[in-house]
Amino acid sequence: MESNKKYWKGLEEYKKTPDFVENNKNEFAEPLPIEDVLNEAGLSTVTPRRDFLKALGFGLGAVTLAACQPAPVHKSIPYIIKPEEVIPGIPNYYVSTYNGQSVLVKTREGRPIKIEPNPKAGEFNLGTDAQAQASVLDLYDVSKLKVPVLKNDETTWAKVDEFVKAELSKVQPSGKKIRIVSSSVNSPSTKNVVTDFTVAYPNTKHIQYDAVSYTGILKANENSFGKAVLPKYNFNKADLIVSFGADFLGTWISGEEFTSQYVSNRNSKSLAKGKMSRHFQFEAGMSITGANADTRLPIKLSEEGPALITLYNAITGSSLAGSALPNNATADKALKLVAKELLMNKGKALVVSGSNDVSTQILVNAINTAIGSYGTTIDLDNPSKRYSGNDAEFKEFINEMNRGEVGAVFFLNTNPAYDVIDTKSFTDALAKVALKVSFSDRKDETSTLCDVIATNQNYLESWGDANIYEGSYSIIQPTINPVFNSRQAEQSLLVWSNAPVQDYYQYVRNNWDKNILPVLGKTWNELLQTGAFTSTLKTAGTYTFGLSLDAVAKSIVSSSKALAKDIELHVYESIPMRDGKYANNAFLQELPDPVTKVTWDNYIALAPKFAESLGYKEFDVVSVKGANGYTIELPVLIQPGQAQGTASIALGYGRTKVGKAGDNVGKNAFPFVAFANGTSQYATTVSLSKTGSTYELAQTQTHHSIEGRNIIREATFKEYVKDPAAGSGNHGAKHKTYDLWDKFEKPGNNWVMAIDLNACTGCGSCIVACNVENNIPVVGRDEVRKRREMHWIRIDRYYSFENEGKSVSEESEIAGLENLDLVSVVHQPMLCQHCDHAPCETVCPVLATVHSSDGLNHMAYNRCVGTRYCANNCPYKVRRFNWFNYWNDSRFDNYLNNEFTQLVLNPDVTTRSRGVMEKCSMCIQRIQGGKLAAKLEKRPLKDGEIQMACQQACSANAIVFGDGNDPDSEVSKALRSERTYYVLEEINVQPGIGYMTKIRNTSTILA
């Protein structure tokens, strides 16, 4: 680690606030709840000594050995006729597709319990995001409807079909319009169903809109090149990436795919070849993409347009008006230097923008044309089909309803009563429609306004397909029979249109047999086994930009001036919640935001200096009033790196009708979105005012702090080229170590792990994967506030900035808040290090934690009595004390503590009782399963055959696991890298996880 850098997790640690100092004096933030335990025993803390000892024997026993209490007897009934494909104890795997990601669904005894990336999917095998990992929990959501609903009453499908057909028979001859409103559809079979429905009812039109829109890019490409498409972006072909507010490693278009591409030019394999891409990020709010950039510059939302004009002028030598950045000399200088680098990397560079403004995206097209991006880093000939929504069409649909022209509307995979810009205008217009049908799986904000809720199925119960890119196809197949009396939306449309084939499985298969499989040269069985195929792609062509940009520049300047009048608000998708569709998923609610580490809430993020100038402190609740008069109250979060004069609020919160976990969590920011120039605009203005109250957010950023220790090590790419060990601490004198342990051989396997800090983006999919695999409970907002989150793996986020080699006092650092605008970020996965000389093992009085002969630190839960000595003695703070039976305690009723939802539990992993310590086990159940499979086949284990849940989920391949005794294993090769170091190796606990130094390809822009 460089001596002129200071690393810290949060402002409280940076400023050494009294609360932070007090909390970190103690190893444990919360004392044992002795009084609660004694109360459960029928005693109090003021009791005779003899009775107190009785209570101690009973009460603490109740805490630590609750699972030993007599339980009701449940008789099990064996299979009378066992299904041929089901062997008890042996998992089955099925290929499927989730939001464009080709996945494997693991089932046990007919229950889907885990989602994995599909290893046979080729270019589709790009890892999974947090939503995919958590999606299995949605199958067992008790908030879902169990039957269809007609006029607010539960009913049968026969009555629904009779009612809908009768109403449609009235609408069609009346001349009124029929509208199917959906989010973007990329399923070929679903599109055909809609077409068939339209043939039966010619007044039908399919309107697609997305809660978070990409209409700006579609319209810009239509204007620029005559193609209304979303390009295929190739970040893996870009040596230089310049992004203006596009969170492409997080939520922009396809985060898991772009992460895989991006990291391929920055990971160990790329560095070994002496190659590393360079990434500049210009943005208002700190995003996960900005946190990973080599150089990040905060700019106001009103400066993004002028910044692009400045960049265009510098690249082309043009003189478009509106390029001035009078209040940001650093950004102005940076843009001119970036322009030179873009010209030096012609054909190998990429410029992207997160704006949904058509004019802004047209200017981005002009820049990419000038630097030769089309045909290399941008492909318009094999476009993405993820998003095809049209904001203007949806706006006109509301106008049609208001004019009384719509007789029937069907809502598919969409919830406009929650996520449209002006909810009241939509709901008022909807009331004028005679037939309103929702294909929701629950009574949500929109479906409660409908006459019919034709209860839709979860994707794990469904047939379907996806066409994410031109020529690329994948299948969706059911992994379980429908849990409730639901029916696929496509089948309902087939029934109501009197289609000749009304069974949707047969409909999908007919479509593939006729239109897709002949092109791919595959059979239906091959498709079901492999899951995804790609036909021969077209050659990506180059494009010439010929539009005049004068009007475009004027539009950009006009919008920028309108933004600069007040506090500039950016509403954005957060990594856990996205657009709010899965707000009832407790795994996602408890996933810490990668940047702020906040769970269970949204907030308004302000820069430290800006908040100070407004007189706000962290957790002050402020009233946020939009230009349209919409007002909500949110707590302030002080965010280093936020641009001055701007604020950020996450979308996806504030649901009111989604379920136990998601109802009334946070506030709805969708009404702040404005409609202008034919598209939804996510940058607007707001005014703030104090309310006088405070609200403590549930953050995890400074929990388990390891302050002041040598945790992060990094170097620049320039330094790395000169010395591959730069920054790793592997040169020079080592810290003297002392050894009190005997040496033990590991004759069989030696399980170890390597984590590449250059690959990890901090996305958190590994956290959710670990939760699902290892039955880790959700604890809820209040417990997180008490530092009781149960995650076995956490992603530590460290801020830092250069002190320019000067020795500065702590006081002057605190006073100099201007440094906090230019912070850099490092993400570090932290889990049990499985130390060979484990400090936890020496202090456990009951040998609950012991070391195995293959290098793992084991936990025997039945032995643990919850002394927490091991957590006290762990230098990495990776052990978790299970305070309560979170799965079965009604005090934590976020829909996980019921028998139905517990069908998601992995039967290979014990669900822990309260009063025991738990931590990462290196997925010991997977290790044992791999060993057993090899033994049965009478062969040695193969490298890579056993993968951890966290490793498998990672799109960036940042985690490598394997046998350290095998010199040819991937993990052995990784740990031999000169970049490898071990956290706190000076205390000689000999951890089994090695980290590879963070390398930044920094420029001289800020020098």
Side-chain angles (χ1 to χ4, degrees):
M1 182 174 67
E2 299 172 359
S3 60
N4 63 338
K5 276 204 168 186
K6 175 184 176 69
Y7 292 88
W8 36 282
K9 284 187 177 181
L11 285 173
E12 58 267 53
E13 181 177 345
Y14 175 62
K15 295 183 177 182
K16 304 294 184 195
T17 61
D19 284 347
F20 176 82
V21 172
E22 183 62 30
N23 282 333
N24 281 274
K25 281 180 182 177
N26 304 313
E27 291 289 342
F28 306 117
E30 293 289 327
L32 282 165
I34 297 295
E35 190 164 333
D36 291 345
V37 171
L38 295 179
N39 287 338
E40 286 184 19
L43 300 168
S44 68
T45 49
V46 286
T47 190
R49 176 175 175 274
R50 189 170 293 175
D51 288 341
F52 180 81
L53 291 175
K54 287 180 186 175
L56 196 68
F58 171 77
L60 288 183
V63 171
T64 59
L65 300 172
C68 296
Q69 293 177 5
V73 175
H74 296 281
K75 293 184 179 179
S76 59
I77 301 175
Y79 288 118
I80 297 192
I81 301 175
K82 185 181 78 66
E84 183 180 352
E85 68 278 6
V86 175
I87 301 175
I90 305 297
N92 290 339
Y93 293 88
Y94 300 88
V95 294
S96 192
T97 304
Y98 176 82
N99 283 356
Q101 302 165 57
S102 185
V103 298
L104 276 182
V105 183
K106 178 182 178 181
T107 67
R108 281 292 302 271
E109 288 75 56
R111 296 181 292 118
I113 62 169
K114 184 71 173 62
I115 305 298
E116 308 286 10
N118 180 4
K120 293 183 179 180
E123 65 180 85
F124 285 90
N125 183 23
L126 300 169
T128 51
D129 60 15
Q131 280 68 33
Q133 287 296 324
S135 65
V136 69
L137 188 60
D138 294 325
L139 175 66
Y140 305 107
D141 185 350
V142 293
S143 302
K144 295 193 296 186
L145 290 168
K146 296 174 176 58
V147 295
V149 173
L150 175 62
K151 299 291 185 180
N152 292 321
D153 292 324
E154 295 184 350
T155 188
T156 64
W157 283 107
K159 290 182 179 178
V160 165
D161 294 341
E162 181 184 0
F163 175 80
V164 173
K165 285 182 177 181
E167 291 298 310
L168 286 172
S169 66
K170 298 175 188 174
V171 173
Q172 182 63 34
S174 73
K176 288 201 170 186
K177 300 171 181 176
I178 300 170
R179 295 291 180 257
I180 297 175
V181 179
S182 75
S183 57
S184 291
V185 174
N186 52 51
S187 163
S189 297
T190 301
K191 288 179 179 178
N192 284 357
V193 169
V194 172
T195 299
D196 290 349
F197 187 87
T198 304
V199 170
Y201 301 101
N203 293 351
T204 302
K205 181 180 179 181
H206 183 199
I207 295 171
Q208 299 180 69
Y209 97 97
D210 299 297
V212 177
S213 170
Y214 292 89
T215 300
I217 297 178
L218 297 168
K219 290 294 182 184
N221 285 327
E222 184 177 36
N223 292 341
S224 302
F225 310 115
K227 290 189 171 187
V229 296
L230 193 64
K232 184 178 189 293
Y233 293 100
N234 298 314
F235 287 89
N236 55 319
K237 296 181 180 180
D239 291 343
L240 180 62
I241 301 164
V242 184
S243 170
F244 291 83
D247 185 16
F248 61 82
L249 297 180
T251 60
W252 191 70
I253 301 180
S254 180
E256 79 289 340
E257 175 190 353
F258 295 155
T259 295
S260 180
Q261 294 180 359
Y262 176 84
V263 167
S264 67
N265 278 341
R266 304 170 69 83
N267 59 14
S268 294
K269 292 180 180 178
S270 179
L271 288 170
K273 298 174 184 176
K275 180 183 177 183
M276 183 178 179
S277 65
R278 180 172 286 174
H279 171 202
F280 294 94
Q281 186 82 4
F282 298 85
E283 62 183 7
M286 177 74 80
S287 69
I288 189 174
T289 304
N292 284 278
D294 297 307
T295 301
R296 178 188 181 273
L297 286 163
I299 62 174
K300 296 175 69 172
L301 295 162
S302 59
E303 293 174 333
E304 285 189 11
L308 281 163
I309 295 174
T310 299
L311 186 61
Y312 177 79
N313 286 344
I315 289 171
T316 63
S318 302
S319 54
L320 283 179
S323 64
L325 291 171
N327 299 317
N328 200 334
T330 302
D332 192 61
K333 174 187 174 185
L335 288 162
K336 292 179 172 62
L337 293 173
V338 167
K340 292 180 182 178
E341 293 203 24
L342 286 170
L343 290 171
M344 289 168 57
N345 287 277
K346 270 195 169 185
K348 298 179 294 181
L350 176 60
V351 178
V352 292
S353 168
S355 172
N356 197 42
D357 178 65
V358 177
S359 295
T360 300
Q361 292 294 346
I362 288 174
L363 184 56
V364 171
N365 290 348
I367 292 171
N368 279 312
T369 304
I371 60 175
S373 298
Y374 291 97
T376 54
T377 58
I378 302 178
D379 182 355
L380 290 178
D381 296 291
N382 300 286
S384 169
K385 299 189 176 184
R386 287 181 182 273
Y387 296 98
S388 51
N390 189 313
D391 297 342
E393 278 193 359
F394 184 78
K395 185 77 171 175
E396 177 55 25
F397 161 65
I398 296 177
N399 294 335
E400 288 176 339
M401 290 194 296
N402 264 323
R403 295 193 296 265
E405 297 172 2
V406 179
V409 60
F410 299 84
F411 296 105
L412 173 61
N413 198 29
T414 190
N415 186 14
Y418 163 70
D419 57 33
V420 294
I421 297 166
D422 186 349
T423 302
K424 189 174 186 306
S425 69
F426 168 78
T427 54
D428 288 349
L430 184 63
K432 300 177 182 179
V433 179
L435 175 62
K436 302 175 284 292
V437 179
S438 171
F439 294 110
S440 176
D441 63 355
R442 70 194 65 224
K443 289 187 175 181
D444 61 23
E445 292 85 347
T446 300
S447 64
T448 51
L449 304 174
C450 294
D451 308 298
V452 175
I453 306 177
T455 314
N456 204 357
Q457 292 175 351
N458 185 276
Y459 81 101
L460 294 171
E461 306 167 302
S462 306
W463 284 100
D465 47 26
N467 176 206
I468 297 302
Y469 284 108
E470 188 70 39
S472 298
Y473 300 90
S474 59
I475 193 72
I476 301 170
Q477 62 176 320
T479 58
I480 189 173
N481 283 325
V483 176
F484 300 130
N485 185 17
S486 55
R487 188 171 74 183
Q488 277 193 254
E490 291 87 349
Q491 185 153 339
S492 293
L493 289 173
L494 290 172
V495 170
W496 299 336
S497 59
N498 297 310
V501 177
Q502 297 185 358
D503 175 63
Y504 191 55
Y505 158 74
Q506 193 60 51
Y507 189 95
V508 172
R509 181 162 185 179
N510 290 349
N511 183 40
W512 276 76
D513 286 341
K514 180 181 179 182
N515 301 315
I516 304 174
L517 290 174
V519 176
L520 298 174
K522 303 294 179 181
T523 66
W524 179 253
N525 284 342
E526 286 177 315
L527 171 68
L528 296 186
Q529 289 172 0
T530 304
F533 290 107
T534 301
S535 61
T536 303
L537 299 180
K538 300 175 185 175
T539 301
T542 58
Y543 289 83
T544 302
F545 185 90
L547 293 179
S548 169
L549 291 175
D550 290 335
V552 168
K554 285 180 183 177
S555 173
I556 291 172
V557 171
S558 175
S559 299
S560 299
K561 286 181 178 177
L563 271 178
K565 291 177 181 177
D566 213 329
I567 296 172
E568 300 175 19
L569 175 69
H570 180 229
V571 288
Y572 67 98
E573 285 186 283
S574 72
I575 296 290
M577 278 299 99
R578 304 296 292 261
D579 63 6
K581 180 180 178 183
Y582 305 108
N584 204 45
N585 192 302
F587 282 143
L588 294 176
Q589 288 284 7
E590 196 146 304
L591 174 65
D593 181 273
V595 174
T596 66
K597 298 300 175 185
V598 172
T599 66
W600 290 100
D601 271 303
N602 59 345
Y603 42 82
I604 181 164
L606 301 173
K609 275 183 68 178
F610 187 52
E612 186 179 66
S613 70
L614 296 174
Y616 299 146
K617 296 179 180 178
E618 191 153 71
F619 302 155
D620 282 351
V621 176
V622 298
S623 177
V624 187
K625 185 176 182 181
N628 58 1
Y630 178 71
T631 304
I632 55 175
E633 292 183 356
L634 282 172
V636 168
L637 182 124
I638 307 299
Q639 178 58 55
Q642 181 83 24
Q644 299 296 324
T646 67
S648 296
I649 301 176
L651 299 166
Y653 292 86
R655 294 291 302 271
T656 56
K657 295 178 180 178
V658 66
K660 288 182 180 179
D663 280 351
N664 303 309
V665 173
K667 300 296 173 62
N668 186 6
F670 273 107
F672 287 124
V673 179
F675 183 83
N677 302 323
T679 61
S680 300
Q681 303 292 319
Y682 299 94
T684 184
T685 60
V686 292
S687 58
L688 306 181
S689 58
K690 281 187 177 182
T691 65
S693 59
T694 60
Y695 179 88
E696 181 187 359
L697 293 165
Q699 291 175 280
T700 64
Q701 64 181 20
T702 52
H703 296 184
H704 323 296
S705 182
I706 321 175
E707 60 195 277
R709 296 174 182 173
N710 192 348
I711 305 299
I712 297 294
R713 299 184 187 179
E714 59 180 313
T716 65
F717 182 58
K718 186 177 180 180
E719 292 167 339
Y720 170 82
V721 170
K722 291 180 181 177
D723 176 12
S728 67
N730 290 329
H731 286 338
K734 289 279 188 177
H735 191 286
K736 188 174 182 181
T737 58
Y738 300 89
D739 198 348
L740 302 177
W741 292 72
D742 294 327
K743 296 289 184 183
F744 293 98
E745 296 298 321
K746 298 170 187 170
N749 306 113
N750 177 24
W751 301 116
V752 290
M753 182 178 282
I755 299 177
D756 188 351
L757 296 183
N758 237 42
C760 176
T761 63
C763 71
S765 64
C766 57
I767 297 176
V768 181
C770 179
N771 286 354
V772 179
E773 172 72 20
N774 294 295
N775 301 336
I776 296 173
V778 169
V779 301
R781 179 194 289 115
D782 290 340
E783 291 291 287
V784 173
R785 286 181 181 141
K786 295 173 182 176
R787 304 185 173 212
R788 292 175 177 173
E789 66 273 12
M790 294 299 296
H791 298 149
W792 285 6
I793 181 172
R794 66 178 193 263
I795 310 292
D796 287 338
R797 184 265 295 115
Y798 291 92
Y799 294 122
S800 66
F801 51 74
E802 295 285 352
N803 287 334
E804 299 176 358
K806 300 173 184 176
S807 177
V808 292
S809 69
E810 187 177 282
E811 290 75 22
S812 65
E813 283 186 49
I814 295 171
L817 291 178
E818 63 276 1
N819 276 335
L820 300 181
D821 290 345
L822 299 175
V823 293
S824 59
V825 176
V826 181
H827 297 282
Q828 182 183 50
M830 183 55 65
L831 60 159
C832 176
Q833 302 287 292
H834 293 270
C835 311
D836 276 353
H837 295 178
C840 55
E841 296 171 17
T842 60
V843 295
C844 181
V846 292
L847 287 179
T849 180
V850 294
H851 218 68
S852 72
S853 60
D854 52 4
L856 296 182
N857 175 256
H858 289 330
M859 276 297 306
Y861 299 126
N862 283 351
R863 287 184 189 166
C864 179
V865 295
T867 63
R868 303 192 295 171
Y869 296 161
C870 56
N872 186 291
N873 218 35
C874 174
Y876 305 100
K877 302 305 164 202
V878 288
R879 289 177 166 259
R880 303 286 175 263
F881 183 69
N882 207 326
W883 290 88
F884 298 98
N885 287 328
Y886 293 108
W887 288 102
N888 293 299
D889 195 317
S890 61
R891 288 172 290 184
F892 310 100
D893 189 11
N894 43 32
Y895 93 67
L896 292 173
N897 58 338
N898 63 82
E899 289 184 354
F900 176 65
T901 307
Q902 288 170 15
L903 290 172
V904 78
L905 294 176
N906 183 355
D908 292 330
V909 180
T910 303
T911 48
R912 282 75 60 190
S913 177
R914 63 176 179 170
V916 302
M917 297 299 302
E918 55 183 83
K919 52 89 192 176
C920 165
S921 68
M922 283 290 185
C923 293
I924 186 65
Q925 68 280 2
R926 292 186 173 215
I927 294 173
Q928 293 303 107
K931 284 181 174 180
L932 181 60
K935 184 177 180 180
L936 290 173
E937 296 173 18
K938 298 180 180 179
R939 59 170 177 80
L941 275 168
K942 300 172 186 175
D943 183 41
E945 185 175 3
I946 300 173
Q947 291 191 322
M948 302 298 93
C950 55
Q951 171 190 12
Q952 212 166 14
C954 182
S955 302
N957 198 27
I959 301 173
V960 182
F961 172 85
D963 186 0
N965 284 348
D966 178 2
D968 296 322
S969 66
E970 285 298 314
V971 73
S972 292
K973 293 174 184 176
L975 293 176
R976 287 197 297 268
S977 166
E978 292 177 280
R979 290 172 54 217
T980 300
Y981 73 97
Y982 294 87
V983 173
L984 302 181
E985 59 187 321
E986 62 271 17
I987 62 177
N988 199 33
V989 296
Q990 299 187 11
I993 299 178
Y995 291 85
M996 282 172 271
T997 308
K998 175 77 172 178
I999 306 295
R1000 291 188 190 276
N1001 194 359
T1002 53
S1003 68
T1004 57
I1005 282 176
L1006 298 179

